[in-house]
Amino acid sequence: MTDLQLHTPAPAAPLVPPAPEDPLAEATTAWLAAKKPTTRDAYRRDLRSWAQFCTQRGQHPLLARKPDADLFGAWLQDQAGPGLTAASAARRMAAVSSWYRYLVACDLHERNPFSAAERPRVDRDFSATAFLDEPSARRLITAAEQHRGITGLRDAAMVRLMLQLGIRVTEVCALNIDSLGTTAGQRTVTVHGKGGKRVVRALPPSAATTLDRYLAARDAALATAAAAATGAAASVTATETARESVPDARHPAHPLDAASGHATGPAYADNAPRPLFTTETGRPVDRTHLFKLVRRLAREAGLPHPDAITPHSLRHTFATLATERGADLDDLQDAMGHADPRTTRRYQRSARRLDRDPAHLVAAALG
């Protein structure tokens, strides 16, 4: 497995097939191309992790055996290595196993060394993700709403969506303007989750209001920038007209370039979806931005152990608060997009475990 074999163009760019004389690279590119963009990025990281492990052991990936796959699982959880949780290590092994299955299906390899590998045991009743209680969640929202300007409004809207709807960080980043809608007089947002699932979620009034303020401020700023660009273009055109009688006058840049949208971000085709949450340059926010945002706000809110708070913590908080408020298991499973109800129950048990610990009963008896 070389860098060439793991190389694929960026998700936004068209996939260019590699040289036909490298069938392994071609198969790897085809395997990644069939995935959704977020899955494609994750699988690319998984393959690179496997390549790194094989390089350290002096083993070629196509010569790997089951013991190599078993050791890879242990290495993934080793603090001297990636230091992943059991669940993350198991997911990474599953991704590499999927790659080998594809190679076998393409007659490029004889076996899958991960087919019988010892996967890390995942405790379905335990979640290591930190989550917030109701007062802490309110403090996080307050910290987000202290920031002014378009960026502050955007961040507050994203935090409310993650806390009040429990949507995943990748789902937040993938939202478009077209994701917003209305059904039976109720504001909605359509979320595209794992496995291509499309879920229409209710947009609570407080989240809708914060989102509307952000979009209104962003639209006003874009309109102001467009007006300024149009004025600049008109000025350049007038200057060029005045210079037409001057021999050998230099031709300036096209007068419409300033109004093409590049001053405020990348231009989008008329039929291209407009991202809902954008950076100052007009590009969609990414997961790295959201990770940094959540931890910064956790510090500003004075939450304990702020570095343990992640976007997934907000999703876990949503499930916890919904459970405490009496949400039905089926409704919560649908809202969170879980294929397996056992995953949803894990969140519920995490929320109830401390309050129902028999230690409270014994302590009350003993004083």
Side-chain angles (χ1 to χ4, degrees):
M1 184 184 304
T2 65
D3 289 340
L4 175 62
Q5 291 162 351
L6 287 179
H7 173 71
T8 56
L15 289 169
V16 179
E21 63 270 11
D22 192 347
L24 181 60
E26 185 178 18
T28 302
T29 299
W31 176 72
L32 289 170
K35 314 299 179 185
K36 292 179 59 179
T38 51
T39 304
R40 187 185 309 155
D41 292 340
Y43 278 18
R44 187 182 295 113
R45 291 191 297 268
D46 298 336
L47 285 184
R48 285 174 176 160
S49 180
W50 172 236
Q52 178 187 358
F53 173 77
C54 290
T55 299
Q56 291 181 2
R57 289 178 53 80
Q59 177 72 281
H60 192 283
L62 294 186
L63 298 178
R65 300 291 193 273
K66 178 183 179 300
D68 299 305
D70 293 338
L71 290 173
F72 179 58
W75 175 77
L76 287 173
Q77 299 176 83
D78 193 336
Q79 291 303 315
L84 302 180
T85 64
S88 296
R91 189 208 60 77
R92 183 158 291 188
M93 293 179 71
V96 179
S97 179
S98 173
W99 177 67
Y100 276 106
R101 286 200 305 271
Y102 188 83
L103 295 184
V104 172
C106 294
D107 294 326
L108 295 175
H109 200 42
E110 297 177 354
R111 62 191 173 278
N112 177 5
F114 283 82
S115 60
E118 298 294 330
R119 307 280 177 93
R121 182 179 180 276
V122 180
D123 186 354
R124 290 187 174 272
D125 292 333
F126 175 75
S127 173
T129 303
F131 58 93
L132 309 178
D133 57 13
E134 190 171 326
S136 296
R138 290 182 180 276
R139 286 163 60 186
L140 192 71
I141 291 176
T142 299
E145 293 180 341
Q146 294 299 314
H147 295 271
R148 304 302 178 188
I150 298 176
T151 300
L153 291 171
R154 177 202 64 196
D155 293 347
M158 292 191 297
V159 167
R160 280 196 177 272
L161 284 179
M162 288 187 287
L163 276 173
Q164 295 183 337
L165 277 76
I167 59 180
R168 300 177 179 90
V169 59
T170 52
E171 295 167 352
V172 174
C173 297
L175 289 174
N176 297 312
I177 294 293
D178 293 341
S179 301
L180 303 177
T182 304
T183 301
Q186 184 167 330
R187 298 283 297 276
T188 63
V189 57
T190 300
V191 179
H192 294 271
K194 287 185 176 180
K197 291 183 179 179
R198 182 175 174 270
V199 182
V200 179
R201 300 290 308 281
L203 191 61
S206 55
T209 299
T210 305
L211 186 57
D212 288 344
R213 288 173 181 166
Y214 159 62
L215 292 176
R218 188 178 75 172
D219 290 346
L222 289 174
T224 300
T230 301
S235 176
V236 171
T237 302
T239 302
E240 179 65 13
T241 301
R243 291 179 177 175
E244 284 182 354
S245 60
V246 180
D248 301 323
R250 292 190 177 186
H251 296 284
H254 195 286
L256 295 181
D257 286 347
S260 64
H262 293 285
T264 55
Y268 296 95
D270 290 340
N271 59 347
R274 263 63 171 181
L276 183 58
F277 297 114
T278 58
T279 63
E280 291 81 356
T281 60
R283 299 187 181 281
V285 295
D286 57 27
R287 52 186 291 127
T288 300
H289 172 86
L290 282 173
F291 269 89
K292 293 179 179 178
L293 168 67
V294 169
R295 288 187 174 170
R296 174 173 61 80
L297 292 177
R299 295 189 190 98
E300 293 176 5
L303 301 183
H305 310 293
D307 289 342
I309 307 301
T310 67
H312 194 66
S313 298
L314 307 194
R315 177 172 166 83
H316 197 157
T317 298
F318 164 80
T320 301
L321 298 183
T323 298
E324 292 176 350
R325 295 290 181 123
D328 181 77
L329 174 62
D330 291 338
D331 293 338
L332 187 57
Q333 179 186 349
D334 290 342
M336 300 191 72
H338 289 154
D340 191 335
R342 290 177 296 178
T343 305
T344 311
R345 292 195 190 100
R346 182 175 64 203
Y347 287 93
Q348 291 186 320
R349 280 191 286 267
S350 295
R352 295 169 176 166
R353 184 178 290 114
L354 294 179
D355 290 338
R356 296 186 177 185
D357 194 319
H360 296 304
L361 300 176
V362 176
L366 299 179

